[in-house]
Amino acid sequence: AQKITQTQPGMFVQEKEAVTLDCTYDTSDPSYGLFWYKQPSSGEMIFLIYQGSYDQQNATEGRYSLNFQKARKSANLVISASQLGDSAMYFCAMREGQGSGNTPLVFGKGTRLSVIA
Amino acid sequence: DTAVSQTPKYLVTQMGNDKSIKCEQNLGHDTMYWYKQDSKKFLKIMFSYNNKELIINETVPNRFSPKSPDKAHLNLHINSLELGDSAVYFCASSPFGLAETNEQFFGPGTRLTVL
């Protein structure tokens, strides 16, 4: 069974609008961490935001926020005021066992976001 | 001062050859990883090492042999390359133990093309 599901293969958004990228996860571990990475066409993996399973508040980093709904096992990424440079692949990932530094990330299949001028 | 570096960035080779990809991190992290990103952009863990010791081997063919000479380096050697090995290979590192985010820092990737 897939541990990370991203149901939107591709998304379009108008410049300056907000966009939500969906991510649902599956784990029985009470401790886990959720990550979002951006991969532009140049290929590098850029860390955007992190949410721990015990965090009480939704994570925010500049224009990025994570809408964490633990009961629904969802961790959607919200990008506010989209910019042309936000066009990229976005990956949701999970590490089970929060604080276990040697656990690899499990990735979703990604969502390709295109920002239109 | 690159955090995680990989060489080479591009690698084009013939089927049947043996090749290596090198990875170095200067972050002082104990744990390093190799991930493979296939043509559909799907990223999957291959190996993880903690302080030079193999922790995870995700049923990767034994043509792939990681080597960690010290905790700052994790190299990937691939024997008898096959067409299906064509992919982007990412090295990553993270701190071990409790850390605020346990963020994984990725290298720039190595695009391997097998002809």
Side-chain angles (χ1 to χ4, degrees), chain A residues 2 35 37 39 42-45 47 50 89 91 95 97-109 112, chain B residues 9 31 33 35 37 41-43 45 48 50 55-56 90 94-98 100-104 106 108:
Chain A
Q2 278 203 343
F35 301 76
Y37 282 83
Q39 187 177 40
S42 50
E44 70 270 30
M45 296 290 288
F47 167 74
Y50 166 85
M89 281 289 284
F91 292 97
R95 159 183 275 147
Q98 186 178 10
S100 298
N102 63 350
T103 308
L105 295 174
V106 176
F107 285 87
K109 293 187 176 179
R112 183 172 296 282
Chain B
K9 189 162 171 62
T31 308
Y33 311 81
Y35 290 86
Q37 186 173 40
K41 299 289 189 181
F42 186 55
L43 270 153
I45 183 69
S48 78
N50 184 61
I55 302 296
I56 290 171
F90 284 97
S94 67
F96 182 74
L98 287 175
E100 188 175 335
T101 68
N102 290 142
E103 175 191 341
Q104 286 197 9
F106 282 79

